[in-house]
Amino acid sequence: MPTVLSGIQPSGLLHIGNYFGAIRQHVALQEEPGEHFYFIADYHSLTTLRDADRMRELVRETAITYLACGLDPDKAVLWRQSDVPEVTEIAWLLSTVTGMGLLERAHSFKDKLANKIKPSVGLFTYPILMAADILAYDSNVVPVGKDQVQHVEMTQDMAGYFNNTYGDVFVRPEMRLEKAANMQKVPGLDGQKMSKSYGNDIWIFESGKKLKKLCGKIVTDSRPPEEPKDPKDIFVFDLLALFLSADELQDWKTKVAAGGPDAPGYGHLKMRLKDALEEYFAEAREKREYYLANPKMVDEILAAGADKARARAREVRDRALLACGLR
Ligand code: ADP
Ligand code: TRP
């Protein structure tokens, strides 16, 4: 039975790009045979988040988001990364067999440099910690978004370096990519990839007036409703496609393409999106309220998850220490 593992950083409120690109897939996988491990990557978030209160709040919010979106603690193990410090030990072992060159080739690191972010050593060695996260649990399958593919490839490389040096200790993981192209790149309010770092995101649980205002901000052009338009040029349709039935979506597209006095304007599309979003996440929003009102329950779920995760990580760590002569 495969072990499926993935992690998500608690570096902001999770948005609908995170939902369709990651959370939804994680939750769906818990129904497949195997063991399912999901953790909140708080050690990783330290590379960008340096406010202790905010960190605590976001870790809790991230856990609640997963539970509200359907993660079932009876089917999947959910824990906080830093509750299993064994991963940092494994990260150290991996760092001693990994060349600088491998890390220098990381796209995410190069992107941050290009954006003039002054890198910490932690940001540079981030892929090593991520490799340790994966290898610490003998993971076989790692569901990730496109942006994390290189990190999983690096994990495969690091497992190889270690095993070649010390014998078979780590299991080589395979990645699993969300196949649907429209799930890989959910557009944000400005049409670029939705991302908390671009400030163009819509929080999963946004609702009411605030959601209406946000949807109103979606960038469109100034062409009037009567003018026939190619739906392909209108990215609001990429967002609508996530929520509407194929028939309803097609109906809107046909009307927009035809133009004329009865054609819907951008405002109509945006308001349809607002209603669809609210409806789609209504149940999750209710569950979130429930967990917010029952914080002890969340603590218990995370503690039980950490116990299970730690037991597994200790076994793997001990195997690795033994192999390199530290035991
Ligand atoms: P952000 O860009 O907001 O900082 P992260 O990089 O923390 O988001 O991404 C967390 C997870 O969500 C990753 O698996 C990533 O692939 C997925 N994800 C993020 N933004 C999008 C998006 N716009 N479309 C699809 N998936 C996304
Ligand atoms: N780096 C991932 C991200 O930013 C989060 C992460 C940390 C992760 N460790 C992991 C994902 C291990 C999969 C497996 O999205």
Side-chain angles (χ1 to χ4, degrees):
M1 282 221 295
T3 297
V4 182
L5 171 138
S6 197
I8 190 134
Q9 287 198 54
S11 43
L13 294 179
L14 294 165
H15 54 69
I16 60 174
N18 299 137
Y19 179 77
F20 288 103
I23 303 172
R24 194 174 79 144
Q25 195 191 7
H26 298 164
V27 171
L29 280 170
Q30 73 187 2
E31 306 304 334
E32 292 188 12
E35 291 186 286
H36 303 275
F37 283 76
Y38 294 109
F39 66 93
I40 301 161
D42 56 353
Y43 280 143
H44 281 281
S45 277
L46 279 180
T47 57
T48 49
L49 176 61
R50 289 177 174 162
D51 176 324
D53 290 334
R54 183 85 178 130
M55 177 70 90
R56 271 185 281 270
E57 186 187 325
L58 284 174
V59 167
R60 171 164 293 275
E61 187 63 56
T62 305
I64 291 180
T65 301
Y66 263 78
L67 295 168
C69 289
L71 193 97
D72 177 350
D74 291 330
K75 294 180 181 160
V77 184
L78 179 69
W79 77 100
R80 182 169 40 202
Q81 182 185 31
S82 62
D83 279 340
V84 185
E86 284 79 1
V87 295
T88 63
E89 279 186 85
I90 296 177
W92 174 256
L93 302 182
L94 292 172
S95 77
T96 63
V97 293
T98 303
M100 300 270 289
L102 184 83
L103 299 180
E104 278 160 358
R105 285 191 292 276
H107 303 310
S108 64
F109 182 70
K110 287 198 283 191
D111 289 351
K112 296 236 163 82
L113 284 190
N115 284 318
K116 305 257 184 289
I117 291 171
K118 213 171 135 217
S120 63
V121 175
L123 192 65
F124 182 64
T125 58
Y126 182 113
I128 300 184
L129 183 59
M130 178 156 164
D133 292 329
I134 296 170
L135 301 175
Y137 304 97
D138 286 341
S139 315
N140 307 104
V141 182
V142 187
V144 283
K146 214 169 147 196
D147 55 332
Q148 298 298 321
V149 166
Q150 194 193 27
H151 288 150
V152 182
E153 287 168 354
M154 292 169 122
T155 302
Q156 294 169 333
D157 290 343
M158 287 182 230
Y161 303 148
F162 194 93
N163 289 353
N164 286 338
T165 313
Y166 296 114
D168 268 349
V169 169
F170 294 122
V171 173
R172 182 189 157 93
E174 299 301 331
M175 70 190 101
R176 180 155 159 171
L177 246 183
E178 170 59 72
K179 286 189 197 70
N182 65 337
M183 302 296 175
Q184 277 184 21
K185 196 184 162 208
V186 174
L189 301 176
D190 56 0
Q192 302 223 43
K193 184 183 166 178
M194 185 177 288
S195 169
K196 55 189 165 266
S197 41
Y198 302 155
N200 63 356
D201 56 319
I202 303 177
W203 181 40
I204 295 173
F205 301 108
E206 203 64 87
S207 66
K209 272 192 192 149
K210 266 180 130 177
L211 180 61
K212 190 171 171 191
K213 203 168 156 201
L214 271 183
C215 289
K217 277 193 190 157
I218 293 173
V219 175
T220 42
D221 55 47
S222 56
R223 288 178 293 171
E226 322 59 274
E227 190 177 323
K229 303 175 195 72
D230 186 346
K232 282 199 205 69
D233 300 335
I234 303 171
F235 73 85
V236 188
F237 281 122
D238 297 334
L239 286 165
L240 282 168
L242 301 168
F243 305 102
L244 303 190
S245 69
D247 283 351
E248 187 187 343
L249 183 70
Q250 190 50 51
D251 192 46
W252 285 98
K253 284 186 177 175
T254 307
K255 286 182 180 145
V256 166
D262 298 328
Y266 293 129
H268 288 102
L269 299 178
K270 293 178 189 180
M271 286 313 110
R272 181 66 191 102
L273 178 67
K274 185 240 172 206
D275 291 340
L277 252 160
E278 240 171 11
E279 193 189 320
Y280 190 93
F281 290 113
E283 196 189 322
R285 200 173 301 116
E286 262 177 41
K287 280 200 196 163
R288 174 171 177 270
E289 293 301 326
Y290 171 79
Y291 284 112
L292 282 178
N294 292 282
K296 249 186 105 186
M297 212 170 154
V298 180
D299 290 340
E300 281 165 15
I301 292 170
L302 290 176
D307 284 346
K308 283 187 206 155
R310 204 179 304 116
R312 176 79 72 99
R314 283 200 176 148
E315 262 177 51
V316 178
R317 184 234 13 218
D318 290 347
R319 209 158 74 209
L321 288 177
L322 192 65
C324 46
L326 300 191
R327 287 292 179 278

